[in-house]
Amino acid sequence: MSNVVVIGTQWGDEGKGKIVDWLSEKADLVVRFQGGHNAGHTLVVDKKIFKLSLLPSGIVRENTIVLIGNGVVIDPFHLKKEIDELKNQNITISPENLIISDTAFLILPIHQVIDQLRENIKNTEKIGTTGRGIGPSYEDKVGRRGLRICDLFDEDELSSKLSKLYDFHNIWLRAMGKKNLDPKDVYEILWDLGQTIKSYVQPSWLSINKYIQQASNILFEGAQGTFLDVDHGTYPFVTSSNTIASQAGIGAGLGPTDINYTLGITKAYTTRVGSGPFPTEDNGEDGILLGKKGHEFGTVTGRQRRCGWFDAVLVRQAVSLSSIKGIALTKLDILDGFEEIKICTGYSLNGKTINYLPSAEKEQKSLKPIYETLKGWEGSIAGIKKLNELPKSALIYVKRLEELIGCPIILISTSPERSDTIYIKDPFNPN
């Protein structure tokens, strides 16, 4: 048995989908443990493109079972839509290969209304939320007024809890000069959606425990990235859940001793969607070129991502926060053709050099990157599958990243295609 957690080490968009898809071939079960449909994965399989934002990436692979854990917040409308879209792409989805936790919390239409209103209030700095209701749903979870998947299957519970939740949020809507929303407008359709997904629903912890007892390989798939973590990220410009590896146990239902290996997914440069500090952001020609070559647009929102050079300080910190044992380096091919490539090795803050991301928002915004410059390489590395076939300058870049982040790079992605990957070590069998 080997249980592997996969997380992003930057601000998300590191290319987790492709790596998880490859690892899912070796896994008996793939588990999504946090976030909602604000996180997007784009998979390219045999030139077919699959865009996922809620279902675990392993769903596109035959004979792989996937599970949406209790730590995920689920929009049942979007869940049905995503299932239908994949079925239309000839992907088989049934209770035999999809399990949904009965204790995952729901995202309701009123959550999306609140999310969008808050983000669009004038004269305030925008967080960069996708407006899909993730934050308000997590707030209701912590406030002990949220609805869970299991509430969809009891008419009295659904009606009563829905009314109480809408009564609570209508107070704020009226204060904002908006009309009350009526829970009766969504009750019937929610009940119908519940009946549609009921066959997939199980106690997730029980399902996972069964696989552990059978000494199976389990892959735990995180969403977003380390520095969008609500506790450890660039607060308040973060998501509403914990994105680091420790959340895998909480959001799926198992203890820490059952997690054997943590793989960090790391882009060969750095990107960020939305607002918030970004020390290595490059607003010049290099940043524009990185975005153009890397097709840096959000899978979920379509928003253009901000681009910059690799930040070794951030990734080293992510390695520590999640006890990462190996790194999957993605999009190395995007650096093809750059004469010089920069790596941030430290920060300057008020005239002092520091080697970590400070917690205070004001200090994060004041950071100046300290760069080391390496020579780039000529030609294209796209499609290379062996480490010794990389150009010398690319190998030097990879080795220097390992030194700076204090963690071995065990996979290198050289294109969006599933097969275009250099495999140095298998996370399920790292010894």
Side-chain angles (χ1 to χ4, degrees):
M1 178 191 74
S2 184
N3 299 329
V4 176
V5 177
V6 173
I7 61 156
T9 63
Q10 295 152 311
W11 280 290
D13 309 309
E14 298 98 346
K16 293 183 291 296
K18 171 185 170 176
I19 304 301
V20 169
D21 174 54
W22 173 74
L23 289 172
S24 67
E25 185 177 26
K26 302 170 180 292
D28 301 293
L29 180 69
V30 179
V31 180
R32 170 84 183 273
F33 59 84
Q34 51 80 217
H37 63 307
N38 56 338
H41 291 325
T42 300
L43 304 178
V44 181
V45 182
D46 297 329
K47 298 185 179 180
K48 281 188 176 182
I49 297 175
F50 300 96
K51 294 191 175 183
L52 308 174
S53 54
L54 186 57
L55 293 169
S57 302
I59 194 69
V60 303
R61 189 180 282 279
E62 290 183 21
N63 304 317
T64 299
I65 298 169
V66 302
L67 185 150
I68 300 176
N70 57 275
V72 178
V73 286
I74 297 175
D75 178 340
F77 298 87
H78 180 86
L79 176 64
K80 184 178 185 303
K81 177 175 177 285
E82 196 163 307
I83 289 172
D84 290 343
E85 287 176 349
L86 286 180
K87 285 183 175 180
N88 288 335
Q89 290 182 280
N90 297 318
I91 299 297
T92 300
I93 301 178
S94 73
E96 280 68 48
N97 70 341
L98 172 62
I99 300 168
I100 300 171
S101 172
D102 59 349
T103 56
F105 279 76
L106 293 170
I107 299 172
L108 302 171
I110 197 168
H111 291 137
Q112 296 173 346
V113 171
I114 291 167
D115 205 1
Q116 292 165 17
L117 276 175
R118 286 177 181 170
E119 188 73 354
N120 292 323
I121 292 174
K122 293 181 179 180
N123 303 320
T124 60
E125 192 169 17
K126 296 182 184 298
I127 297 297
T129 173
T130 59
R132 295 195 165 197
I134 281 80
S137 176
Y138 274 118
E139 289 175 33
D140 282 344
K141 173 180 178 176
V142 175
R144 292 168 292 192
R145 57 180 171 267
L147 277 74
R148 300 180 296 171
I149 289 287
C150 57
D151 294 320
L152 291 174
F153 312 131
D154 185 303
E155 291 178 294
D156 293 334
E157 286 286 285
L158 178 60
S159 178
S160 173
K161 291 183 177 181
L162 204 57
S163 293
K164 290 177 182 177
L165 184 139
Y166 270 63
D167 286 345
F168 177 86
H169 287 301
N170 277 330
I171 296 171
W172 184 80
L173 289 174
R174 288 196 299 272
M176 296 301 296
K178 304 297 180 180
K179 293 181 180 179
N180 281 356
L181 295 179
D182 191 341
K184 293 178 182 177
D185 292 340
V186 297
Y187 172 81
E188 292 290 346
I189 192 168
L190 281 174
W191 174 259
D192 290 341
L193 282 170
Q195 300 309 300
T196 300
I197 66 172
K198 191 173 184 177
S199 61
Y200 303 111
V201 177
Q202 299 180 29
S204 58
W205 69 270
L206 197 58
S207 300
I208 291 169
N209 184 65
K210 180 186 72 174
Y211 280 91
I212 290 173
Q213 295 301 318
Q214 294 172 350
S216 305
N217 287 342
I218 306 176
L219 182 64
F220 296 89
E221 175 185 358
Q224 290 102 14
T226 296
F227 294 96
L228 292 177
D229 186 284
V230 69
D231 285 297
H232 299 285
T234 49
Y235 189 90
F237 303 97
V238 293
T239 193
S240 300
S241 61
N242 290 108
T243 62
I244 63 173
S246 303
Q247 178 63 22
I250 297 169
L254 77 162
T257 56
D258 284 319
I259 295 172
N260 307 106
Y261 192 94
T262 300
L263 178 68
I265 313 300
T266 305
K267 195 180 286 186
Y269 50 101
T270 311
T271 61
R272 178 165 197 169
V273 172
S275 305
F278 184 173
T280 64
E281 183 172 12
D282 190 314
N283 292 310
E285 291 183 6
D286 287 338
I288 294 171
L289 184 57
L290 284 169
K292 184 177 180 181
K293 292 180 67 177
H295 304 289
E296 295 296 350
F297 294 91
T299 301
V300 170
T301 63
R303 289 181 295 183
Q304 186 167 358
R305 297 175 186 138
R306 300 153 63 191
C307 297
W309 296 109
F310 190 92
D311 191 332
V313 181
L314 277 185
V315 178
R316 184 171 62 243
Q317 192 161 322
V319 167
S320 177
L321 287 168
S322 287
S323 300
I324 293 171
K325 297 296 188 289
I327 293 290
L329 188 68
T330 63
K331 288 198 164 186
L332 184 63
D333 54 303
I334 303 305
L335 298 180
D336 289 347
F338 282 92
E339 291 185 9
E340 294 183 335
I341 300 172
K342 295 179 181 179
I343 306 172
C344 174
T345 59
Y347 301 134
S348 175
L349 177 63
N350 301 323
K352 294 183 178 180
T353 299
I354 61 173
N355 60 358
Y356 65 95
L357 181 73
S359 301
E361 182 182 350
K362 187 175 181 180
E363 290 184 344
Q364 289 176 355
K365 291 180 178 179
S366 301
L367 296 173
K368 304 295 182 186
I370 298 170
Y371 284 121
E372 176 180 307
T373 302
L374 299 183
K375 182 182 177 181
W377 54 88
E378 296 180 355
S380 174
I381 66 167
I384 287 179
K385 299 178 178 65
K386 294 182 180 179
L387 190 65
N388 60 10
E389 293 179 359
L390 287 175
K392 182 179 179 181
S393 293
L395 282 170
I396 290 171
Y397 180 70
V398 170
K399 292 300 179 184
R400 184 58 179 146
L401 294 188
E402 287 185 322
E403 293 170 359
L404 290 169
I405 65 178
C407 189
I409 292 171
I410 68 167
L411 298 171
I412 302 173
S413 173
T414 58
S415 96
E417 284 287 346
R418 177 192 281 175
S419 60
D420 292 342
T421 306
I422 299 170
Y423 304 115
I424 302 167
K425 189 178 287 188
D426 182 355
F428 280 113
N429 187 24
N431 298 321

